[in-house]
Amino acid sequence: MSDYQMNVLKTQLWNVANTLRGKMSADDYRDYILGFIFYKYLSEKLENYANTILQPDGITYLEIDENTETGQEYLEAVRVEAVETLGYFLKPSELFSQVSKRGNDRDDETSSSFILEDLDRILNNIQLSTMGTDSEEDFDNLFEDIDLSSSKLGKTAEQRNVLIARVLHHLNEIDFQLEQSERDVLGDAYEYLIGEFAAGAGKKAGEFYTPQPVSKLLAKLVTTGKTKLKSVYDPTCGSGSLLLRVAKEVQEVGHFYGQEMNRTTYNLARMNMILHDVHYSRFDIKNDDTLEHPQHEGMQFEAVVANPPFSAQWSANPLFTTDERFGSYGKLAPSSKADFAFVQHMVHHLADNGTMAVVLPHGVLFRGGAELLIRRYLVENRNYLDAVIGLPANIFYGTSIPTCILIFKKCRETPEDVLFIDASHDFEKVKTQNYLRDEDLHKIVTTYRERTELPKYSVRVPLATIVENEYNLNIPRYVDTFESEETIDLNAIAEELQTLEQQLTETNTKIAGYCQELGIVSPF
């Protein structure tokens, strides 16, 4: 698929999304549209798989008669194989294309055959088909955010039915081209939609989406020196975009792990994984509060990435002082600012041969109290801090504050210093948002990987210097970005003023002469 065709697919999907615009908020219609796209994907994936199984018998999946004994035998054979390989099952009559056809079998655009009950049953059947199998947890309540009885879709059942039938019809006309194995076509388009919804969601966007340039940067940083990863982990995984971005930077990722507190976003992450053709056995996404109820205890990961909520509140319960994630630091992160609690949690889950990159507000670099003690422990006692990268302000949805990336490694190649990079001035401003360009990302990544020192941009700071600065990591303390003012030659300016004065006198004399010739009073 060419870039042009890819852009056409994105436009088609966004136009379908606009069918629901005006009916409800961006948050709400995001859940419907992405859910229906996912249902269409599952249908086409299963149909293609079933056709491959049935090829020796000379029939296609849609040709099976579900009401005959022979048809039932075929269905059972396909079901066993599909649940084992794909993790779920749909009958031919339950496929997206067939439901769309039933819902749009009338010529009158203001009415349609009633399919809401049928659709609701089918979405539930997808989940039921996984009961008692290895994929059960990954499909559990996956479509729970699609409420087909919601008044947001229409005041009456008929109005809701017409709208949903129209959406399914438009989606059914789009070719997802799942046979395109050389490129993750639908996955990329799905990511595009998530990004578009995030852009329109304002402050809430940060709950489920990290801007693509930042995801790309984090992914490149944690994959430095790697071509394969055994595992990647995001403790605040949102829609799963950051986990999937890491996979694009290496040849192979063994397993994906994540945790997300918001139930709707958790569902979105699981859909995103499956849409990117990540087999259900290769991802483990949990739904719970990461700090209060961690779900991956006893595990360590080769790459750890996160864009946690900035300065979020957490319990800071004294019982956590005995938690192995926090106990050795001597202090818990403040209850009003959980930033370092996330750092401690992530460091605990970082493998000895791994790299961790986390986006945080600038305050973590210099705030005192418990946060100072935690910084000191990480630098002095453990020597895990590998780099501090300052990012431009206003690059995240819903907040304009400047941010930074902290990189940690348990086995550092250069344990005698910490690299500081000030990338806060390199960006492109588009309307009200700042964006990191490809050249900005390349400069950051190259500087980090080569640990290059560049004037007014990067410097390798000895640990002793950080100790002298009392573990204050504020970037301007180390990267001198001061621009000296141009020296002013006062003598030259005085001479220039004298010349101008002389020229003015000559001009006034000429004007006075012209006035005398004209017989008028001179203004001088």
Side-chain angles (χ1 to χ4, degrees):
M1 176 178 272
S2 67
D3 288 338
Y4 171 75
Q5 290 171 309
M6 183 68 199
N7 288 330
V8 169
L9 175 59
K10 289 177 179 179
T11 301
Q12 288 175 319
L13 291 174
W14 187 241
N15 287 340
V16 174
N18 283 331
T19 304
L20 291 174
R21 188 193 290 271
K23 297 283 183 181
M24 58 191 74
S25 69
D27 272 356
D28 290 323
Y29 77 85
R30 175 197 72 199
D31 298 334
Y32 285 100
I33 290 297
L34 295 182
F36 288 144
I37 291 173
F38 183 62
Y39 167 39
K40 176 175 164 66
Y41 167 82
L42 293 181
S43 295
E44 293 188 5
K45 186 86 172 175
L46 187 132
E47 185 178 359
N48 290 343
Y49 180 73
N51 285 339
T52 301
I53 293 175
L54 296 168
Q55 194 169 12
D57 295 288
I59 62 170
T60 66
Y61 196 48
L62 288 177
E63 290 173 346
I64 293 177
D65 186 346
E66 298 178 26
N67 298 313
T68 66
E69 185 176 341
T70 302
Q72 287 298 315
E73 291 176 357
Y74 275 126
L75 289 182
E76 180 59 20
V78 171
R79 186 193 68 78
V80 171
E81 293 289 333
V83 170
E84 175 67 25
T85 304
L86 304 180
Y88 65 94
F89 174 70
L90 284 163
K91 297 177 184 177
S93 60
E94 296 176 328
L95 296 177
F96 184 98
S97 60
Q98 302 309 297
V99 177
S100 173
K101 190 179 296 183
R102 291 198 294 274
N104 292 277
D105 60 358
R106 298 184 186 178
D107 295 331
D108 184 4
E109 292 186 1
T110 63
S111 65
S112 59
S113 296
F114 198 78
I115 58 169
L116 292 188
E117 290 180 358
D118 198 20
L119 181 57
D120 196 45
R121 176 185 55 78
I122 292 169
L123 296 181
N124 190 49
N125 281 350
I126 295 175
Q127 176 189 334
L128 292 177
S129 72
T130 70
M131 296 287 282
T133 71
D134 292 339
S135 62
E136 180 177 358
E137 184 179 352
D138 299 309
F139 284 84
D140 181 45
N141 290 318
L142 205 48
F143 294 98
E144 66 182 348
D145 295 303
I146 300 180
D147 182 4
L148 299 177
S149 63
S150 172
S151 60
K152 295 174 182 177
L153 296 170
K155 292 182 179 179
T156 66
E158 180 59 34
Q159 289 174 338
R160 294 192 288 273
N161 190 73
V162 169
L163 178 61
I164 293 301
R166 190 161 75 245
V167 170
L168 297 187
H169 172 68
H170 290 320
L171 274 178
N172 196 47
E173 292 184 326
I174 300 175
D175 183 3
F176 282 179
Q177 302 191 41
L178 298 187
E179 70 282 357
Q180 295 275 350
S181 59
E182 79 281 358
R183 184 170 179 178
D184 193 358
V185 177
L186 185 58
D188 288 347
Y190 201 72
E191 283 286 312
Y192 161 78
L193 280 184
I194 293 174
E196 289 297 299
F197 284 123
K203 192 171 183 179
K204 285 187 176 181
E207 296 175 5
F208 63 89
Y209 189 71
T210 300
Q212 215 167 51
V214 180
S215 288
K216 192 174 181 180
L217 176 58
L218 290 168
K220 287 181 178 294
L221 292 171
V222 298
T223 54
T224 296
K226 307 272 187 177
T227 56
K228 294 182 179 180
L229 290 172
K230 290 182 179 179
S231 58
V232 57
Y233 171 60
D234 183 347
T236 58
C237 69
S239 62
S241 301
L242 185 47
L243 287 170
L244 292 163
R245 182 68 237 188
V246 171
K248 290 188 176 183
E249 298 299 328
V250 291
Q251 297 172 10
E252 181 185 338
V253 173
H255 287 83
F256 300 82
Y257 297 87
Q259 189 164 337
E260 172 55 42
M261 183 167 62
N262 182 285
R263 180 77 190 184
T264 297
T265 311
Y266 160 69
N267 290 338
L268 188 57
R270 292 185 294 163
M271 289 183 190
N272 207 5
M273 285 287 159
I274 295 169
L275 265 166
H276 280 82
D277 210 24
V278 178
H279 193 265
Y280 67 85
S281 64
R282 291 180 52 227
F283 71 86
D284 180 15
I285 310 292
K286 302 293 187 182
N287 176 216
D288 215 326
D289 186 314
T290 298
L291 297 180
E292 308 291 341
H293 306 288
Q295 297 294 305
H296 296 95
E297 293 183 274
M299 301 181 71
Q300 290 191 317
F301 310 100
E302 194 172 355
V304 180
V305 289
N307 172 27
F310 300 152
S311 300
Q313 293 186 340
W314 75 303
S315 70
N317 191 314
L319 292 175
F320 280 132
T321 55
T322 60
D323 188 307
E324 57 184 0
R325 295 174 296 166
F326 314 115
S328 59
Y329 293 80
K331 283 283 187 179
L332 296 175
S335 60
S336 60
K337 294 178 177 65
D339 303 307
F340 267 111
F342 283 110
V343 170
Q344 292 167 307
H345 173 90
M346 294 171 70
V347 167
H348 174 71
H349 285 288
L350 179 65
D352 289 343
N353 67 333
T355 303
M356 163 186 155
V358 56
V359 182
L360 297 165
H362 259 202
V364 302
L365 302 177
F366 52 79
R367 290 193 296 244
E371 292 184 309
L372 169 58
L373 295 176
I374 294 171
R375 282 199 306 273
R376 177 173 181 169
Y377 184 85
L378 288 167
V379 174
E380 183 179 63
N381 294 64
R382 292 298 185 185
N383 195 12
Y384 287 165
L385 181 63
D386 197 47
V388 178
I389 302 172
L391 300 177
N394 201 31
I395 60 172
F396 287 92
Y397 298 113
T399 180
S400 60
I401 64 171
T403 53
C404 64
I405 293 175
L406 299 186
I407 302 176
F408 294 90
K409 300 178 80 171
K410 289 184 176 179
C411 296
R412 302 208 294 131
E413 293 84 357
T414 55
E416 68 279 357
D417 61 50
V418 176
L419 179 66
F420 283 77
I421 298 175
D422 185 354
S424 61
H425 304 290
D426 298 340
F427 61 88
E428 179 183 10
K429 187 176 181 65
V430 180
K431 296 182 180 179
T432 60
Q433 200 81 23
N434 295 335
Y435 291 90
L436 290 169
R437 300 159 295 190
D438 285 343
E439 57 263 36
D440 303 326
L441 300 181
H442 178 73
K443 185 177 181 182
I444 294 170
V445 173
T446 302
T447 301
Y448 170 70
R449 289 177 175 174
E450 299 177 1
R451 296 189 83 80
T452 312
E453 292 189 295
L454 299 173
K456 304 185 186 303
Y457 186 76
S458 62
V459 62
R460 293 170 63 171
V461 180
L463 293 180
T465 304
I466 295 175
V467 174
E468 289 172 9
N469 281 277
E470 299 178 334
Y471 306 95
N472 187 320
L473 303 177
N474 204 15
I475 298 170
R477 280 184 176 247
Y478 308 103
V479 182
D480 182 12
T481 58
F482 178 73
E483 296 284 349
S484 58
E485 295 183 6
E486 185 180 352
T487 304
I488 299 174
D489 188 340
L490 294 178
N491 288 328
I493 291 177
E495 289 177 5
E496 186 178 351
L497 288 173
Q498 288 175 355
T499 301
L500 289 172
E501 184 67 30
Q502 184 179 347
Q503 291 174 349
L504 182 61
T505 300
E506 292 173 358
T507 301
N508 289 343
T509 301
K510 286 182 180 180
I511 293 175
Y514 294 147
C515 290
Q516 187 175 4
E517 290 178 11
L518 294 170
I520 59 177
V521 179
S522 171
F524 308 108

